[in-house]
Amino acid sequence: MLKNVFILFFTLLITNGLYSQANLLNAISVEQIGLKTNDQIKADIDKPLPYGYVADRDILWSKVVWEIIDLNQKINLPFYFPIDTTTVVSSRRSLFDTLMAGIKKGEIKDVYSDANFLNKMTDEDLSKKLYASQSDGFDDETGEAIVDEFTISNKDVQSYQIKGIWFFDKLQGELKYRLLAIAPMALDVQGKVSGIKDDNSYPLFWVYYPLVRNTLHKSKVFNPDNSISPISYDHLLNARRFSSVIVREENIYGNRAIEDYVRGNSLFQLLEANKIKEDIRNREIDMWNY
């Protein structure tokens, strides 16, 4: 019995170490591990599941909401890890590293400074959000200038803000959600240079979600239920497999945030967010009341 337990333990250990590597069970050499066979390539639909067409006239009700995904919560940790990328396969990266890699490769061509996609950011604008430097005098021995550098990386991202729309599709007869935009949140890097103490997180940049789905589909997330079959970020986000809090809703007051009219009380702000969430949930029930 004890022998079987040890065998099972080492089997799971090896599987976790080699997780998400294709062709693991069929490889006859080390070089073939991680490479898909021709049969696998033909069988796999290695692209995001396309959204179905929804006509405007078929939407009986809709509401746009903004939410915060806090990376301190356990269920949201897949968006934050891995931090050390030297011990994992290249297809496994954090959400921030995945977005940044897509921007550098040119897969993500457009980034914006706002969630309404009104102001497109240039490379210089993005650099100011991610990098800052400050002169700190001169070295006494070499006479060279001492420069303090601050760079935003994955470990600095504290949360993500997402913008999406809930709508009731009368053809399908159900309430649906469509993700529209996502932004990594971090401390202001320019504030670190100026010495201003600000504990608030700000969006580094916004991306239009439908345009980044292919990039997010390529990067995989660890699947604790089946390590040989990882989950893509696109699947994780579209399936809403995360915990979030509503911070803003589409409203008559210029889409003001909850903190703008419920001030100085975090508990009441959370209760207001739950009230908005319950209103969205009840909409589907109300649609079936005649």
Side-chain angles (χ1 to χ4, degrees), residues 134-168:
Q134 182 183 32
S135 178
D136 192 19
F138 296 88
D139 188 281
D140 294 335
E141 297 181 358
T142 62
E144 295 180 355
I146 301 175
V147 179
D148 295 330
E149 296 182 346
F150 303 88
T151 303
I152 297 295
S153 61
N154 175 59
K155 62 182 178 60
D156 299 308
V157 177
Q158 301 178 348
S159 60
Y160 286 90
Q161 187 170 167
I162 59 174
K163 175 186 176 182
I165 180 172
W166 289 95
F167 63 96
F168 189 87

Coordinates of all heavy atoms in Angstrom, one line a residue, residues 134-168:
Q134 N 15.5 58.6 -12.6 CA 15.9 59.8 -11.9 C 17.4 59.8 -11.6 O 17.9 58.8 -11.1 CB 15.1 59.9 -10.6 CG 15.3 61.1 -9.7 CD 14.5 61.1 -8.4 OE1 14.3 60.0 -7.9 NE2 14.1 62.2 -8.0
S135 N 18.0 61.0 -11.8 CA 19.4 61.1 -11.5 C 19.6 61.3 -10.0 O 18.8 62.0 -9.3 CB 19.9 62.4 -12.2 OG 21.3 62.6 -11.8
D136 N 20.5 60.5 -9.4 CA 20.8 60.5 -8.0 C 22.3 60.9 -7.7 O 23.0 60.3 -7.0 CB 20.5 59.2 -7.4 CG 20.4 59.2 -5.9 OD1 20.3 60.3 -5.3 OD2 20.6 58.1 -5.3
G137 N 22.7 62.0 -8.4 CA 24.1 62.5 -8.1 C 25.1 61.8 -9.0 O 24.8 61.2 -10.0
F138 N 26.4 61.9 -8.6 CA 27.5 61.3 -9.3 C 28.3 60.4 -8.4 O 28.4 60.6 -7.2 CB 28.3 62.4 -9.9 CG 27.7 63.3 -10.9 CD1 26.9 64.4 -10.5 CD2 27.7 63.0 -12.3 CE1 26.3 65.2 -11.4 CE2 27.1 63.8 -13.2 CZ 26.4 64.9 -12.8
D139 N 28.9 59.4 -9.0 CA 29.8 58.5 -8.3 C 31.1 59.2 -8.0 O 31.7 59.8 -8.9 CB 30.0 57.2 -9.2 CG 30.7 56.1 -8.4 OD1 32.0 56.3 -8.2 OD2 30.1 55.2 -7.9
D140 N 31.5 59.1 -6.7 CA 32.7 59.8 -6.3 C 34.0 59.3 -7.0 O 34.9 60.0 -7.3 CB 32.9 59.7 -4.8 CG 31.8 60.4 -4.1 OD1 31.2 61.4 -4.7 OD2 31.5 60.1 -2.9
E141 N 34.0 58.0 -7.3 CA 35.2 57.4 -7.9 C 35.3 57.5 -9.4 O 36.3 57.9 -10.0 CB 35.3 55.9 -7.5 CG 35.4 55.6 -6.0 CD 35.5 54.2 -5.7 OE1 35.4 53.4 -6.6 OE2 35.6 53.8 -4.5
T142 N 34.2 57.2 -10.1 CA 34.2 57.2 -11.5 C 33.7 58.6 -12.1 O 34.0 58.9 -13.2 CB 33.3 56.1 -12.1 OG1 31.9 56.3 -11.6 CG2 33.8 54.8 -11.6
G143 N 32.9 59.3 -11.3 CA 32.4 60.6 -11.8 C 31.2 60.4 -12.7 O 30.7 61.4 -13.2
E144 N 30.7 59.2 -12.9 CA 29.6 58.9 -13.7 C 28.3 59.2 -12.9 O 28.2 59.1 -11.7 CB 29.6 57.5 -14.2 CG 30.8 57.1 -15.1 CD 30.7 55.7 -15.6 OE1 29.8 55.0 -15.1 OE2 31.6 55.3 -16.4
A145 N 27.3 59.6 -13.7 CA 26.0 59.9 -13.1 C 25.3 58.6 -12.6 O 25.4 57.5 -13.2 CB 25.1 60.6 -14.1
I146 N 24.7 58.7 -11.4 CA 24.0 57.6 -10.8 C 22.5 57.8 -11.2 O 21.9 58.8 -10.8 CB 24.2 57.5 -9.3 CG1 25.7 57.4 -8.9 CG2 23.3 56.4 -8.7 CD1 25.9 57.4 -7.4
V147 N 22.0 56.8 -11.8 CA 20.6 56.9 -12.3 C 19.7 55.8 -11.6 O 20.1 54.6 -11.7 CB 20.5 56.8 -13.8 CG1 19.0 56.9 -14.3 CG2 21.3 57.9 -14.5
D148 N 18.7 56.2 -10.9 CA 17.7 55.2 -10.4 C 16.6 55.0 -11.4 O 16.0 55.9 -11.9 CB 17.1 55.8 -9.1 CG 18.1 56.0 -8.0 OD1 19.1 55.2 -7.9 OD2 17.9 56.9 -7.1
E149 N 16.4 53.7 -11.7 CA 15.5 53.3 -12.7 C 14.3 52.6 -12.0 O 14.5 51.8 -11.1 CB 16.1 52.4 -13.8 CG 17.2 53.1 -14.6 CD 17.8 52.2 -15.6 OE1 17.5 51.0 -15.6 OE2 18.5 52.7 -16.5
F150 N 13.1 52.9 -12.5 CA 11.9 52.2 -12.1 C 11.2 51.6 -13.3 O 10.8 52.4 -14.2 CB 11.0 53.2 -11.3 CG 11.7 53.9 -10.1 CD1 12.4 55.1 -10.3 CD2 11.6 53.3 -8.9 CE1 13.0 55.7 -9.3 CE2 12.2 54.0 -7.8 CZ 12.9 55.1 -8.0
T151 N 10.9 50.3 -13.2 CA 10.2 49.7 -14.4 C 9.1 48.9 -13.8 O 9.2 48.1 -12.9 CB 11.2 48.8 -15.1 OG1 12.3 49.6 -15.6 CG2 10.5 48.2 -16.4
I152 N 7.9 49.0 -14.4 CA 6.7 48.2 -14.1 C 6.9 46.8 -14.7 O 7.0 46.7 -15.9 CB 5.4 48.9 -14.5 CG1 5.2 50.2 -13.8 CG2 4.2 48.0 -14.2 CD1 5.0 50.1 -12.3
S153 N 6.8 45.8 -13.9 CA 6.8 44.4 -14.4 C 5.6 43.7 -13.8 O 4.8 44.3 -13.1 CB 8.1 43.8 -14.0 OG 8.3 43.7 -12.5
N154 N 5.6 42.4 -14.0 CA 4.5 41.6 -13.6 C 4.2 41.6 -12.1 O 3.1 41.7 -11.6 CB 4.7 40.1 -14.1 CG 3.6 39.2 -13.6 OD1 2.4 39.4 -13.8 ND2 3.9 38.2 -12.8
K155 N 5.3 41.6 -11.3 CA 5.2 41.6 -9.9 C 4.6 42.9 -9.3 O 4.1 43.0 -8.2 CB 6.5 41.4 -9.2 CG 7.6 42.4 -9.5 CD 8.9 42.1 -8.8 CE 10.0 43.1 -9.1 NZ 9.6 44.5 -8.7
D156 N 4.6 44.0 -10.2 CA 4.0 45.3 -9.7 C 2.5 45.4 -10.0 O 1.9 46.3 -9.5 CB 4.8 46.4 -10.4 CG 6.2 46.4 -10.1 OD1 6.6 46.4 -8.9 OD2 7.1 46.5 -11.0
V157 N 2.0 44.5 -10.8 CA 0.6 44.6 -11.2 C -0.2 44.0 -10.0 O -0.1 42.9 -9.6 CB 0.3 43.8 -12.5 CG1 -1.2 43.8 -12.8 CG2 1.1 44.4 -13.6
Q158 N -1.1 44.8 -9.5 CA -1.9 44.5 -8.3 C -3.3 44.0 -8.6 O -3.9 43.2 -7.9 CB -2.0 45.7 -7.4 CG -0.6 46.2 -6.9 CD -0.8 47.4 -6.0 OE1 -1.8 48.0 -5.9 NE2 0.3 47.8 -5.4
S159 N -3.8 44.4 -9.8 CA -5.1 44.0 -10.2 C -5.4 44.2 -11.6 O -4.5 44.8 -12.3 CB -6.2 44.8 -9.3 OG -6.0 46.2 -9.6
Y160 N -6.5 43.8 -12.1 CA -6.9 44.1 -13.5 C -8.3 44.7 -13.5 O -9.2 44.4 -12.6 CB -7.0 42.9 -14.4 CG -5.6 42.4 -14.7 CD1 -4.9 41.5 -13.9 CD2 -5.0 42.8 -15.9 CE1 -3.7 41.0 -14.3 CE2 -3.7 42.3 -16.3 CZ -3.1 41.4 -15.4 OH -1.8 41.0 -15.8
Q161 N -8.5 45.7 -14.3 CA -9.9 46.3 -14.5 C -10.4 45.8 -15.8 O -9.7 45.9 -16.8 CB -9.8 47.8 -14.4 CG -11.2 48.4 -14.4 CD -11.2 49.9 -14.1 OE1 -12.3 50.6 -14.3 NE2 -10.1 50.4 -13.6
I162 N -11.6 45.4 -15.8 CA -12.3 44.9 -17.0 C -13.6 45.7 -17.2 O -14.2 46.1 -16.3 CB -12.6 43.4 -17.0 CG1 -13.5 43.0 -15.8 CG2 -11.3 42.6 -16.9 CD1 -13.9 41.6 -15.7
K163 N -13.9 45.8 -18.5 CA -15.1 46.5 -18.9 C -15.9 45.5 -19.8 O -15.3 44.9 -20.7 CB -14.9 47.7 -19.7 CG -16.1 48.4 -20.3 CD -15.7 49.6 -21.2 CE -16.9 50.2 -21.8 NZ -16.6 51.3 -22.7
G164 N -17.2 45.2 -19.4 CA -17.9 44.3 -20.2 C -19.4 44.7 -20.2 O -19.8 45.6 -19.5
I165 N -20.2 43.9 -21.0 CA -21.6 44.2 -21.1 C -22.4 43.0 -20.8 O -22.1 41.9 -21.4 CB -21.9 44.8 -22.5 CG1 -23.4 45.1 -22.6 CG2 -21.4 43.9 -23.6 CD1 -23.8 45.8 -23.9
W166 N -23.4 43.1 -19.9 CA -24.4 42.1 -19.7 C -25.6 42.4 -20.6 O -26.0 43.5 -20.7 CB -24.8 42.1 -18.2 CG -23.8 41.5 -17.3 CD1 -22.9 42.3 -16.6 CD2 -23.5 40.2 -17.0 NE1 -22.1 41.4 -15.8 CE2 -22.5 40.1 -16.0 CE3 -24.1 39.0 -17.4 CZ2 -22.0 39.0 -15.5 CZ3 -23.6 37.8 -16.8 CH2 -22.6 37.8 -15.9
F167 N -26.1 41.4 -21.3 CA -27.3 41.6 -22.1 C -28.2 40.4 -22.2 O -27.7 39.3 -22.0 CB -26.8 42.0 -23.5 CG -26.0 41.0 -24.2 CD1 -26.7 40.1 -25.1 CD2 -24.7 40.8 -24.1 CE1 -26.0 39.1 -25.8 CE2 -23.9 39.8 -24.7 CZ -24.6 39.0 -25.6
F168 N -29.4 40.6 -22.4 CA -30.4 39.5 -22.5 C -30.7 39.3 -24.0 O -31.2 40.2 -24.7 CB -31.7 39.8 -21.7 CG -32.6 38.7 -21.7 CD1 -32.5 37.7 -20.6 CD2 -33.6 38.5 -22.6 CE1 -33.3 36.6 -20.6 CE2 -34.5 37.4 -22.5 CZ -34.3 36.5 -21.5

